[in-house]
Amino acid sequence: MTQLPAGPKERLRRHDREIIALAVPAFGALVAEPLFVMVDSAIVGHLGTPQLAGLGVAAALLMTAVSVFVFLAYATTAAVARRVGAGDLQSAIRQGMDGIWLALALGIAVIAVTLPAAPWLVEVFGASDTAAPHAITYLRISSLGIPAMLIVLAATGVLRGLQDTRTPLYVAVGGFAANAGLNAGLVYGAGFGIAGSAWGTVIAQCGMAAAYLVVVVRGARKHGSSLRPDAAGIRASAQAGVPLLVRTLSLRAVLMIATAVAARLGDTDIAAHQIVLSLWSLTAFALDAIAIAGQAIIGRYLGAGDAEGAKQACRRMVQWGVVSGVVLGILIVAARPLFVPLFTGDQAVRDTLLPALLVVAVSQPIAGVVFVLDGVLMGAGDGPYLAAAMLLTLAVFAPVALLVPTLGGGLTTLWWAMTLMMTVRLMTLWWRARSGRWIVTGAAR
């Protein structure tokens, strides 16, 4: 085996250390987030089926609302990391504060819409007559925590841009523990029922936002950054986020179309699809952690004017994506007999599920590269291209997916269509990465 010179080997080790140091805590924070809903479901589930059904509808609405604004984390990470690379920490934190002020404004706007529209939203999502009152109660109370949720997204982006993914992990774990304790105490101890669960989540989210703000404000004071809202900076943050919002909505549309098609295939297929989608989402957390490392590292290199370092880091992260995808694919196949019985005892669902899982396993190396390149281009601030590429992907995927009931093959064919979607994303992202047009150095793109 050919030995690499000391220089290249040391560079690879440095990249590996940076990726691990950022990705591992980021993965822990990502996994902690969905546990909030799981805890709420476990506690509310013992109140009764209508309460649990109401929670399901309200939680789906809340998660949709919050996920639309995930650009607050992505855009802030890239902008802050560039300024960190340029050695201007004062400007980096000032940029982060603009993102936080934008998050607060958007959160207040969402509350203003959600409170009066809650009954209509619950009805649109098809809640039953018995579940609807509980859904409305949970949605209205929980919506009060949306500004805190969005501040958490933006502040997470600030810390990631500052190359700190450990603090978000600690805050996420603390928030999860507080949420669990508050829910149990308010639902059962205080006897507030589903309203207690909602208030527990709001308090936990506000506590997380407060913890982040303490860290960011401390950094701002240390480096002499202003804490006041700056209209121009907030507008710049919003403009940087628009393309990422388009990208996120396009991706959500893909997932919604896939679920709608699965529902048309029948109860067995939609049940199996939800299991496959849950597993696919879980593997996405692992791959997204590498993408988050990519956002922070690439932004820093470009801000420092080190184009060659950015290209080397990109190549190394792609290798990580491939290896991670292969490992996840093997784990899916190997662990299949263990986790499938945890989800369902229905043999028909299992028979439908297994071939689709194999498709997901085969596609994991593709997903690994897609997630990494997505993170690289986000870190480079290449939002307009990501938006255009995702719109193209949606345009290719939608007609193919809608033809699945006609083509036959059921859920397995649908997941081959999902693999096609990921392949189109791979092609568009790979072309962009190879072109080098994403490499724009300096403190701002």
Side-chain angles (χ1 to χ4, degrees):
M1 181 177 177
T2 304
Q3 294 293 320
L4 289 171
K9 286 180 68 174
E10 180 53 36
R11 282 197 296 270
L12 287 178
R13 291 195 190 100
R14 186 176 69 248
H15 289 315
D16 289 343
R17 285 194 296 268
E18 286 184 332
I19 293 167
I20 291 170
L22 291 170
V24 172
F27 174 70
L30 288 169
V31 170
E33 290 173 8
L35 293 178
F36 272 76
V37 177
M38 289 180 63
V39 167
D40 288 4
S41 299
I43 292 173
V44 172
H46 291 286
L47 294 174
T49 300
Q51 288 89 338
L52 183 58
L55 171 66
V57 171
L61 284 163
L62 287 166
M63 293 307 296
T64 299
V66 173
S67 66
V68 164
F69 297 111
V70 73
F71 70 83
L72 289 166
Y74 294 158
T76 305
T77 297
V80 171
R82 273 185 175 272
R83 286 159 177 79
V84 168
D88 189 355
L89 286 176
Q90 183 185 59
S91 178
I93 297 175
R94 171 68 262 179
Q95 182 72 36
M97 285 304 305
D98 292 336
I100 290 172
W101 281 112
L102 175 61
L104 178 61
L106 290 172
I108 293 171
V110 173
I111 290 178
V113 171
T114 304
L115 286 178
W120 177 80
L121 291 169
V122 167
E123 183 180 354
V124 167
F125 262 63
S128 67
D129 291 341
T130 55
H134 303 293
I136 293 169
T137 297
Y138 190 92
L139 181 59
R140 279 181 166 159
I141 296 173
S142 293
S143 68
L144 300 177
I146 287 179
M149 295 180 196
L150 300 190
I151 288 172
V152 165
L153 283 177
T156 299
V158 176
L159 295 181
R160 288 173 181 171
L162 293 170
Q163 317 295 298
D164 176 9
T165 56
R166 289 182 179 273
T167 300
L169 172 61
Y170 300 148
V171 175
V173 171
F176 167 71
N179 181 63
L182 287 165
N183 267 259
L186 294 175
V187 172
Y188 297 116
F192 290 163
I194 194 169
S197 176
W199 280 117
T201 300
V202 169
I203 294 169
Q205 292 286 355
C206 289
M208 291 173 66
Y212 275 118
L213 289 175
V214 167
V215 174
V216 174
V217 168
R218 186 181 298 155
R221 287 176 174 167
K222 179 180 179 181
H223 297 287
S225 297
S226 172
L227 298 174
R228 294 180 179 179
D230 176 66
I234 294 171
R235 278 197 304 271
S237 295
Q239 289 169 355
V242 168
L244 296 179
L245 174 62
V246 172
R247 168 203 167 272
T248 300
L249 291 175
S250 300
L251 183 56
R252 295 291 301 181
V254 165
L255 299 177
M256 289 175 65
I257 290 170
T259 300
V261 170
R264 289 175 59 189
L265 295 174
D267 290 348
T268 298
D269 289 87
I270 186 62
H273 174 73
Q274 288 303 114
I275 297 172
V276 178
L277 189 60
S278 297
L279 182 66
W280 188 77
S281 299
L282 180 62
T283 61
F285 285 134
L287 300 175
D288 204 26
I290 304 174
I292 288 168
Q295 293 170 31
I297 292 170
I298 294 297
R300 192 189 74 232
Y301 273 116
L302 293 178
D306 188 354
E308 185 58 34
K311 285 191 275 190
Q312 290 176 359
C314 176
R315 285 194 292 269
R316 190 57 172 172
M317 281 184 284
V318 167
Q319 293 170 357
W320 271 76
V322 172
V323 172
S324 299
V326 170
V327 171
L328 288 171
I330 292 171
L331 285 175
I332 289 171
V333 174
R336 193 178 46 172
L338 299 176
F339 66 76
V340 169
L342 297 177
F343 286 99
T344 180
D346 188 325
Q347 190 59 46
V349 174
R350 290 187 185 186
D351 292 341
T352 303
L353 172 68
L354 295 178
L357 279 178
L358 292 177
V359 176
V360 172
V362 168
S363 69
Q364 285 304 296
I366 297 173
V369 178
V370 166
F371 274 81
V372 165
L373 291 180
D374 209 36
V376 166
L377 296 184
M378 283 185 192
D382 205 9
Y385 180 82
L386 288 172
M390 198 62 226
L391 285 171
L392 173 62
T393 302
L394 175 60
V396 172
F397 170 77
V400 175
L402 293 173
L403 282 173
V404 166
T406 304
L407 295 172
L411 188 66
T412 303
T413 303
L414 176 60
W415 276 92
W416 277 120
M418 289 286 284
T419 302
L420 170 66
M421 178 271 294
M422 294 299 289
T423 303
V424 173
R425 291 187 72 191
L426 174 64
M427 293 169 62
T428 56
L429 296 175
W430 184 265
W431 177 84
R432 186 66 167 183
R434 290 295 299 270
S435 74
R437 294 179 184 175
W438 56 279
I439 300 175
V440 179
T441 58
R445 185 178 174 87

